[in-house]
Amino acid sequence: MGSPDEMMAYSSLSKIDTSQNQRAALSNGVAGNNYPAQDYLYEPSFEPDFPEYDSRDNPFAPTRASPKVDLKTVLGGLVSIVMGANKSEDDASQQQNFTTDISFLGSDKNGDIDVHPSVCVPSAPPLLEASALQYSAYREVLLADPPEWLPDSSAKACLQCNLPFTALTRGRHHCRFCGGIFCKNCSKGRCLLPMKFRIRDPQRVCDACYERLDPLQGLLINYNSNSMQPAKHDVMDWTSTRSWLNMPVGVSMEYEIYKATNTMKKYCQVARLNPEKSIPSSILKGAKGLAILTVAKAGAVLTYKVGTGLVVARRSDGSWSAPSAILSVGLGWGVQIGGELTDFIIVLHDRKAVKAFSSRIHISLGAGLSAAAGPIGRAFEADVRASEKGSGICYTYSCSKGAFVGVSLEGNVVTTRSETNLRFYGDAYLTTTDILFGRVGRPRAAQPLYSALDDLFSRMVC
C-alpha cells in the first residue's frame, strides 16, 4: 500500500470524467433502484473521490442500495481501513438515533439506555443476582410450617449463649418459629409469624429467627395482623347478649372496639328519644378527639374505680385516627355510696387534651355528680388532664347501671395499654403518637367504630 501522497495521485485520475457524466451515472443508479437521492450511499460531489475520513464516518454502514462496484469503491474501502475509521462511535450514534424512535426506551442522566417507567418490569429478582438469594430466603420463611417444640428436658442450657437454666434467674423460653429453647435474654424479640402458623399476635422468637422475620414484618402487618382482619362481632341489638352489658376490663382491642361502638349506638338512641340528655352538638363539633371507656366504681365515701377503653383523635381533614387502648384507675372522695358500672364518652376539647392521651401516663382531676338507680343512670363530669406532653380540658358524659348516688372529687390515672396495641397492630415500634396523629391508617377491624362515630356526629342536635 502506498503513501497518502500516492493515494492522492490515484484520486486525481478520476478528474478525467466530466461533471455531466457523473450526474448521469448518479441519476441512472437512483432511478433503477427506486430510492430517493438523499438515501443513496454517495452524494454528487466535485471534491476528490477519496477524502480523508474522520472518526465519525463509516464507509461500511448498511445502505438501502448497493453502489456500482468499480475502482473507486475498492480504493475507498482500502483507504478507510488504513486511516482507521472508528466504527464503534458510529454505532453508538446509530443506537442513540434508534432510541429516539422507540417510545419505551429512554436515556438517563449518564446517557445510558433505560426502560421507560411505564413499561412493566418483573418484580422477582434475576436468579443470578445476589438479591435472588435473599428472595429465596424470604420465600422459605413465608412458606415455613409450624415447628415441633423441643421438650424442656432436651436442653439444660440456652441453645444460643450456652448458659445453664435456673429456676428463678434464667428460665426456659421456646422460640415460636424454630421451636428451640432459649433464655430470656436470647429471645427478647416479638414478631408476627407467617400465615401457616395461624397466629395473629406477635410471638416470642430467638435472636436468629428475629433476624430472619424482621425484614418481613411490614408485609405480615398488612396481611396477618389483627387490625387488618374484618370485625367478627358487629351485632349490637337485643339478640346479642354481649351487647346488654359492657365489661369494665377488655382483654383485647377487638373487644374495646365493640364496647365503644355499643356505647355510641346507645347514645344515638338516647339522642333520638330525648335530645335534652344527649351531648350538645356545639361540644361535639369542637371535639378534637374522643375517649370511650367502661369503668366500674364502688365504695362509700371513698370509692375505687377501674376500667378500660380506647381513644381516637380527629385529624385535620375531619377523618378519625386509628384507636389506641387505654386503662383508667382512680379514687373518689365525697358524699357517696354504692356501686355502678358506667360507660363514659370523654370529649377532648382541644389538641392539648389529645396530646395528654398520647402520653404513656396522665392524671386527671375533677368534680362530678353521679346518680344511678336500676339499669339506667346519668353522670356528668368536667376535669383537667395533665401529662408530660401537655394539659387540656375534657367534658365527660356517661350512662350508668347500678345503685349509686353522690357528689365527689375525682382523681384518675390513665395509661396507654402498649401491650394491647402491640397485639392489635403487630408493630413493636409503634407509639401512641403514631397511632393518634396519622402515621397509622384506619384499621379494617375498627370499621364498626367509624360507622358509629359518623352516626353519632350526624344525629346529635342541640
Side-chain angles (χ1 to χ4, degrees):
M1 186 66 64
S3 64
D5 295 336
E6 294 174 350
M7 293 178 190
M8 292 303 296
Y10 282 110
S11 176
S12 62
L13 295 177
S14 62
K15 294 183 179 180
I16 59 175
D17 296 330
T18 62
S19 60
Q20 295 179 355
N21 292 335
Q22 289 180 351
R23 293 193 183 92
L26 179 62
S27 60
N28 292 336
V30 174
N33 289 281
N34 296 323
Y35 285 99
Q38 60 270 21
D39 290 340
Y40 201 73
L41 180 62
Y42 296 108
E43 296 288 342
S45 174
F46 300 102
E47 298 297 328
D49 295 325
F50 304 109
E52 295 183 2
Y53 286 89
D54 58 16
S55 60
R56 297 181 181 178
D57 296 327
N58 184 6
F60 298 101
T63 58
R64 297 183 180 179
S66 299
K68 183 177 179 180
V69 179
D70 54 10
L71 181 60
K72 293 187 295 181
T73 304
V74 175
L75 294 178
L78 296 176
V79 170
S80 63
I81 294 174
V82 173
M83 300 301 294
N86 193 335
K87 186 177 183 298
S88 60
E89 292 187 4
D90 188 68
D91 289 340
S93 62
Q94 289 182 1
Q95 187 177 10
Q96 292 179 357
N97 294 334
F98 175 76
T99 58
T100 57
D101 296 333
I102 305 301
S103 59
F104 60 82
L105 294 178
S107 300
D108 57 15
K109 297 180 179 180
N110 298 326
D112 298 330
I113 304 302
D114 194 7
V115 180
H116 193 271
S118 62
V119 179
C120 179
V121 179
S123 58
L127 295 179
L128 298 180
E129 293 184 359
S131 57
L133 299 177
Q134 298 180 0
Y135 176 77
S136 300
Y138 294 160
R139 185 176 184 274
E140 179 183 356
V141 172
L142 290 174
L143 298 179
D145 294 316
E148 292 186 5
W149 286 14
L150 294 177
D152 289 346
S153 59
S154 64
K156 296 183 179 181
C158 175
L159 296 180
Q160 179 171 324
C161 65
N162 293 324
L163 295 177
F165 294 117
T166 61
L168 299 178
T169 59
R170 191 178 296 109
R172 292 175 172 85
H173 299 277
H174 281 85
C175 173
R176 273 57 172 177
F177 188 69
C178 68
I181 302 176
F182 303 87
C183 66
K184 180 179 179 181
N185 293 332
C186 296
S187 58
K188 292 181 177 179
R190 299 292 187 275
C191 288
L192 288 175
L193 300 181
M195 285 64 171
K196 289 186 178 181
F197 286 72
R198 303 182 67 85
I199 301 176
R200 304 193 184 279
D201 297 341
Q203 300 294 312
R204 177 189 292 271
V205 294
C206 65
D207 293 346
C209 292
Y210 182 84
E211 294 296 330
R212 300 179 63 190
L213 289 167
D214 185 60
L216 298 172
Q217 289 305 291
L219 176 65
L220 295 175
I221 288 172
N222 290 331
Y223 288 94
N224 204 33
S225 65
N226 289 309
S227 62
M228 292 294 105
Q229 310 309 313
K232 302 298 189 300
H233 304 289
D234 54 356
V235 176
M236 297 166 194
D237 55 18
W238 65 271
T239 61
S240 176
T241 56
R242 68 167 55 220
S243 67
W244 295 359
L245 189 68
N246 290 335
M247 294 293 102
V249 178
V251 296
S252 65
M253 177 69 84
E254 290 84 349
Y255 185 62
E256 298 296 349
I257 292 173
Y258 182 88
K259 288 197 308 179
T261 305
N262 193 29
T263 299
M264 286 187 290
K265 285 184 176 294
K266 291 178 180 179
Y267 259 89
C268 289
Q269 294 175 0
V270 171
R272 287 192 294 267
L273 298 176
N274 192 351
E276 294 180 356
K277 294 183 178 181
S278 63
I279 303 175
S281 59
S282 58
I283 293 180
L284 281 178
K285 289 180 181 179
K288 301 302 181 181
L290 292 178
I292 307 166
L293 64 161
T294 302
V295 176
K297 179 179 180 180
V301 181
L302 182 63
T303 57
Y304 303 90
K305 300 187 295 182
V306 62
T308 62
L310 57 82
V311 58
V312 291
R314 204 165 194 176
R315 297 172 178 171
S316 57
D317 59 355
S319 62
W320 293 96
S321 70
S324 176
I326 56 175
L327 167 68
S328 175
V329 293
L331 295 173
W333 181 83
V335 182
Q336 53 186 345
I337 187 171
E340 65 179 354
L341 189 65
T342 308
D343 295 325
F344 288 97
I345 296 181
I346 303 175
V347 181
L348 310 186
H349 183 260
D350 51 21
R351 186 64 63 179
K352 293 181 180 179
V354 178
K355 289 183 178 180
F357 273 92
S358 69
S359 62
R360 188 178 59 88
I361 184 172
H362 73 270
I363 300 174
S364 68
L365 298 174
L369 171 66
S370 179
I376 297 178
R378 313 300 300 175
F380 171 76
E381 296 179 4
D383 57 42
V384 177
R385 297 177 180 265
S387 70
E388 73 274 10
K389 293 187 177 181
S391 60
I393 299 175
C394 299
Y395 302 105
T396 303
Y397 298 84
S398 62
C399 178
S400 304
K401 300 178 179 67
F404 189 91
V405 63
V407 178
S408 63
L409 296 176
E410 305 289 340
N412 299 279
V413 177
V414 180
T415 63
T416 298
R417 301 174 64 189
S418 302
E419 189 66 24
T420 303
N421 289 339
L422 172 61
R423 291 198 303 269
F424 184 68
Y425 293 104
D427 189 351
Y429 303 102
L430 200 62
T431 65
T432 310
T433 302
D434 296 331
I435 297 173
L436 295 181
F437 290 97
R439 177 174 174 263
V440 180
R442 292 168 52 148
R444 185 182 180 188
Q447 187 56 45
L449 175 66
Y450 298 122
S451 299
L453 284 169
D454 295 339
D455 191 42
L456 175 68
F457 277 75
S458 63
R459 293 180 181 271
M460 284 297 176
V461 296
C462 296

